[in-house]
């Protein structure tokens, strides 16, 4: 004999088989009439509470992440709509800050992004990715790009490409195969090997100096003169108190690339989230050419992996080719390298 279902598993109004669940209080109902009666009896709005507590494992759920993203975006849209309504009615508003208008260099950056053809998806103000974005309009002039580090000598560049006098200085998120993530900057006239080598050299910890020990202090007194003026000990060379500089073969950088590596651009994708969509990038072209007609979220995310395009693990990555949706939201299935 089958056991009778619990009342909590039935419709809270008519105790029949439920079909729906209230987004606000998770009460179960079986029809529209029961849902409306539930709202009247319990004074429930039926609207999801965005501030409700969630467990840690629920934060990584793409559905919950998209709900939070849409909630923040709705707040921004409401603020913009209210500002346009107030402006249309001619209501004067006090200045929100001491300095009105765009920030220094913001106009030039917007114009440069329009000329470059890069579609930048802005995150809501206050989110981590928006705060990490330091992309700016660079007016500094540099004669040539820095030479690559020793780990990048497999791709020698005899004539480093010069920086443009005015160019976009992108914020780049570097991700390696072990999951390490670092933020750096890259001028749009630079190539990825030069930018990654510059970032790795800047992130390398400085050599530590060794404190002189008591033995070193005793050795410093190598010549002792007795009362008769005779030398009692021969002079000896003083040891160096600083660590020797690391050689090119023994230098260890925290974000150095493996001996054989490739660069890939992460293509954002809508839910449901498939494996990471990666687009192979040429190591000899400048960043401005690689990002043309591409879509990024705030700033580019570049993967530095020890896999050639045809060797990418299919369970973790989906390879995209030119024309395979790399310019949009990953439209279409990825094409495996051949």
């Amino acid at each position: 004999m089958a056991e009778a279902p619990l009342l909590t598993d039935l419709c809270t109004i008519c105790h029949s088989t439920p079909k729906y669940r209230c987004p606000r209080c998770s009460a179960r109902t079986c029809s529209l009439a029961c849902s409306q009666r539930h709202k009247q009896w319990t004074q429930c709005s039926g609207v999801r509470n965005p501030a409700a507590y969630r467990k840690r494992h629920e934060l990584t759920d793409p559905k919950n992440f998209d709900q939070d993203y849409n909630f923040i975006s709705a707040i921004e849209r409401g603020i913009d709509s209210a500002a346009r309504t107030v402006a249309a009615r001619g209501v004067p508003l006090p200045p929100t800050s001491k300095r009105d208008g765009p920030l220094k260099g913001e106009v030039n950056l917007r114009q440069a992004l329009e000329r470059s053809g890069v579609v930048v998806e802005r995150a809501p103000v206050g989110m981590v990715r928006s705060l990490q974005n330091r992309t700016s309009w660079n007016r500094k002039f540099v004669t040539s790009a820095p030479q690559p580090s020793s780990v990048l000598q497999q791709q020698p560049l005899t004539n480093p490409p010069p920086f443009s006098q005015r160019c976009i200085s992108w914020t780049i998120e570097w991700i390696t195969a072990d999951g390490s993530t670092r933020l750096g900057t890259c001028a749009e006239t630079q190539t990825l090997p030069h930018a990654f080598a510059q970032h790795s050299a800047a992130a390398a910890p400085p050599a530590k100096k060794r404190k002189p020990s008591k033995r070193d202090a005793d050795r410093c007194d190598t010549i002792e003169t007795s009362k008769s003026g005779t030398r009692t000990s021969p002079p000896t060379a003083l040891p160096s108190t600083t660590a020797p500089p690391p050689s090119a073969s023994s230098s260890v950088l925290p974000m150095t690339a493996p001996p054989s590596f490739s660069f890939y651009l992460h293509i954002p994708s809508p839910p449901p989230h498939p494996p990471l969509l990666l687009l192979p990038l040429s190591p000899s072209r400048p960043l401005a050419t690689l990002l043309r007609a591409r879509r990024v979220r705030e700033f580019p995310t570049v993967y530095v992996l020890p896999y050639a395009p045809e060797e990418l693990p299919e369970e973790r990555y989906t390879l995209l080719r030119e024309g395979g949706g790399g310019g949009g939201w990953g439209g279409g299935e990825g094409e495996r390298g051949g």
Side-chain angles (χ1 to χ4, degrees):
M1 181 177 181
E3 296 182 358
L6 299 177
L7 290 179
T8 55
D9 297 335
L10 299 176
C11 177
T12 57
I13 304 299
C14 63
H15 304 299
S16 59
T17 303
K19 296 181 180 179
Y20 312 104
R21 185 184 292 273
C22 179
R24 185 74 177 187
C25 61
S26 300
R28 296 189 173 187
T29 54
C30 63
S31 61
L32 177 60
C34 290
S35 177
Q36 293 176 348
R37 190 171 300 178
H38 155 71
K39 295 179 181 179
Q40 294 176 358
W41 288 2
T42 61
Q43 299 297 318
C44 178
S45 63
V47 180
R48 185 185 67 88
N49 181 17
Y53 173 77
R54 288 179 179 174
K55 298 181 180 179
R56 179 173 296 181
H57 70 274
E58 296 177 349
L59 298 178
T60 58
D61 187 4
K63 180 182 66 175
N64 296 332
F65 179 83
D66 292 336
Q67 289 177 351
D68 295 341
Y69 183 88
N70 294 334
F71 172 70
I72 298 176
S73 300
I75 294 178
E76 283 195 335
R77 289 195 298 269
I79 295 176
D80 294 340
S81 177
R84 289 193 297 268
T85 301
V86 170
R89 294 180 179 180
V91 179
L93 294 177
T96 56
S97 61
K98 296 181 180 180
R99 180 178 180 179
D100 296 334
L103 300 177
K104 181 179 180 181
E106 186 176 354
V107 176
N108 294 333
L109 177 60
R110 292 178 181 177
Q111 296 175 354
L113 290 176
E114 293 178 359
R115 293 193 302 267
S116 65
V118 184
V119 181
V120 179
E121 290 289 337
R122 296 292 184 182
V125 179
M127 296 193 72
V128 175
R129 197 163 183 87
S130 176
L131 298 176
Q132 292 176 341
N133 191 2
R134 293 294 183 268
T135 302
S136 60
W137 176 250
N138 186 12
R139 288 177 173 269
K140 297 181 180 180
F141 178 80
V142 182
T143 56
S144 61
Q147 290 291 342
S149 123
S150 60
V151 297
L152 299 177
Q153 292 299 333
Q154 56 184 1
Q155 297 175 355
L157 297 178
T158 55
N159 296 321
F163 280 100
S164 175
Q165 186 176 2
R166 297 180 179 181
C167 62
I168 301 177
S169 179
W170 283 97
T171 296
I172 301 292
E173 182 182 19
W174 303 101
I175 302 180
T176 54
D178 59 353
S180 301
T181 302
R182 295 287 180 86
L183 293 178
T185 58
C186 175
E188 63 177 351
T189 54
Q190 277 186 297
T191 60
L192 292 180
H194 279 117
F196 188 77
Q198 180 183 10
H199 172 73
S200 300
K208 296 183 179 180
K209 294 185 177 180
R210 183 173 62 88
K211 293 183 179 180
S213 61
K214 185 178 179 181
R215 181 179 301 178
D216 296 335
D218 296 339
R219 292 180 180 178
C220 290
D221 190 12
T222 57
I223 301 177
E224 296 180 356
T225 306
S226 61
K227 295 181 180 180
S228 59
T230 59
R231 179 181 298 175
T232 59
S233 61
T236 57
L238 296 179
S240 176
T241 58
T242 59
S247 60
S249 59
S250 62
S251 60
V252 179
L253 302 180
M255 288 285 292
T256 53
S260 178
F261 64 95
S262 301
F263 295 94
Y264 299 90
L265 176 66
H266 177 230
I267 303 299
S269 59
H273 299 277
L276 292 174
L277 302 179
L278 301 182
L279 180 72
L281 301 176
S282 172
S284 60
R285 296 182 179 181
L287 184 61
T289 304
L290 299 176
L291 294 181
R292 186 173 300 277
R294 302 297 177 194
R295 184 185 298 269
V296 297
R297 287 180 178 173
E298 287 289 342
F299 48 86
T301 298
V302 178
Y303 279 77
V304 185
L305 302 177
Y307 309 110
E310 61 275 4
E311 299 174 353
L312 281 178
E314 298 184 6
E315 64 276 5
R316 296 180 55 186
Y317 310 105
T318 299
L319 182 66
L320 295 178
R321 291 292 188 182
E322 293 291 341
W329 289 93
E333 296 294 335
E335 177 186 352
R336 298 300 303 176

